[in-house]
DNA sequence: ACCTGAACACCGTTCAAGT
DNA sequence: ACCTGAACACCGTTCAAGT
């Protein structure tokens, strides 16, 4: 039977894309060409519609970027949970591998974006809970929050600098990473 | 006497602006309205010329952003040198104060930018040498580089997250900062 | 109900023409 | 020698019109 949403008797236009497809296209464009490559026209072309059609599914470009950022936050959470058994050093290495695999998405999480594009911070906190659990065990419940902030700040800063090439002027980046996490674990022990 | 550069006898047009003025205008726009506010037209308007005239002094917008980033790197170096007497904790606090005072400029140094806009990394290394000197004293010359990378990564990540609002969900941000620098200094001692 | 072409405002950038 | 208007290509976004 015909849908009640049909216009006077005809068939409604079938959907030619979906939010999921749009977000996937946006992520792919972002990773391959940086933020400048993530244009509404490029996304539309990749999913087989014209740019104005995207506005049926996303409010605007900033909102699309935010959706991409939040998908990336969930991915990061998956990686951290998968590494939780390996302790704080294991999670730090998983974080680093994640940033290497999705550098553009990584910068969406921790970079500087217009208010509208920023991922929900409560969700970020939720996805990084494995770190909080590890620091609670290490530093004790009173200092778990400060310790988690110290570790996440270090990991985040290290990856920003590494991806920006700021560590390319000598020395081993891997050594510096292992040195850092070892010193932090040692220092945070209660 | 007339300049040899004069066109058949007339006076050359006097300069109506300068690179310094352009960079200052760009920094002001960046700090007050973010990267989106740093348009060639807005810069031109602020220095009293039309946008095409800017191309006499800067190659393009990316190059202007790079110049702004490098001016900011030098400013950061000034702040670090001024705080060198206060040791690593003092320099960390100076770094934080600098980021608070110039959040947009700060993101130009450590954020993710197109290749053309990135500040020279060798200059960044030079301006952060006070940190290297402090960590050399603390951790010993063999580990000075790794120790400096650990501290700068932590400070950079802390400020990125603080400015993004990622620490607004409970606890004292000041406490977390002091906790972090204290633990780091302790951990890096040889 | 979804999609599109056309249009608009706003960018960065080039260039011939002015003085 | 420097500055400008006009032009071009390219964005994001809106909207009336198509099916």
């Amino acid at each position: 039977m015909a849908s009640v949403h049909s216009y006077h008797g005809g068939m409604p236009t079938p959907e030619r894309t979906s939010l999921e497809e749009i977000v996937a296209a946006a992520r792919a464009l972002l990773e391959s060409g940086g933020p400048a490559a993530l244009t509404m026209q490029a996304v539309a072309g990749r999913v087989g519609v014209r740019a104005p059609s995207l506005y049926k599914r996303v409010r605007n470009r900033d909102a699309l970027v935010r959706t991409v950022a939040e998908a990336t936050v969930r991915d990061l959470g998956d990686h951290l949970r998968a590494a939780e058994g390996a302790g704080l050093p294991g999670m730090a290495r998983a974080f680093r591998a994640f940033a290497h695999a999705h550098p553009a998405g990584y910068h969406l999480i921790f970079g500087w974006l217009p208010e509208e594009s920023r991922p929900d911070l409560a969700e970020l906190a939720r996805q990084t809970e494995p770190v909080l659990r590890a620091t609670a065990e290490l530093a004790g419940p009173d200092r778990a929050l400060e310790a988690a902030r110290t570790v996440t700040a270090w990991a985040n800063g290290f990856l920003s600098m590494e991806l920006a090439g700021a560590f390319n002027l000598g020395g081993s980046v891997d050594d510096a990473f292992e040195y850092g996490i070892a010193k932090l674990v040692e220092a945070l022990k209660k």
Side-chain angles (χ1 to χ4, degrees), chain A:
Chain A
M1 67 181 120
S3 158
V4 294
H5 299 300
S6 310
Y7 67 101
H8 55 71
M11 289 283 287
T13 311
E15 307 191 351
R16 277 175 222 179
T17 185
S18 65
L19 181 57
E20 290 71 38
E21 213 184 357
I22 289 169
V23 172
R27 294 182 82 170
L29 286 163
L30 182 72
E31 290 299 341
S32 62
L38 173 31
T39 69
M40 297 302 270
Q41 320 205 9
V43 171
R46 215 167 219 270
V47 302
V49 298
R50 300 291 185 164
S53 299
L54 299 177
Y55 292 81
K56 281 274 147 181
R57 300 195 165 68
V58 298
R59 192 156 25 93
N60 53 33
R61 185 183 181 277
D62 281 342
L64 174 56
V65 171
R66 186 186 209 259
T67 306
V68 169
E70 294 184 340
T72 310
V73 166
R74 284 191 300 274
D75 269 16
L76 173 60
D78 292 345
H79 281 246
L80 290 179
R81 274 187 298 278
E84 190 163 4
L88 213 46
M91 283 188 276
R93 291 183 202 112
F95 179 83
R96 187 169 176 229
F98 175 82
H100 286 184
H102 315 280
Y106 167 79
H107 279 98
L108 246 39
I109 302 181
F110 291 109
W112 212 42
L113 295 144
E115 182 65 33
E116 289 230 300
S117 300
R118 275 185 219 155
D120 180 40
L121 296 171
E123 180 64 20
L124 178 61
R126 207 169 311 125
Q127 298 287 344
T128 54
E129 258 176 24
V131 176
L132 198 61
R133 282 193 287 270
T135 57
E137 189 153 350
L138 200 65
D142 308 356
R143 285 311 206 174
L145 185 60
E146 285 80 6
R149 285 174 175 179
T150 301
V151 175
T152 55
W154 167 77
N156 171 20
F158 194 99
L159 266 298
S160 302
M161 297 183 76
E162 182 182 2
L163 293 177
F167 292 156
N168 288 351
L169 279 70
S172 158
V173 180
D174 288 349
D175 281 359
F177 191 81
E178 292 300 327
Y179 174 90
I181 189 66
K183 289 293 184 182
L184 279 169
V185 167
E186 190 185 312
L188 299 183
K189 267 183 199 147
K190 68 161 179 284

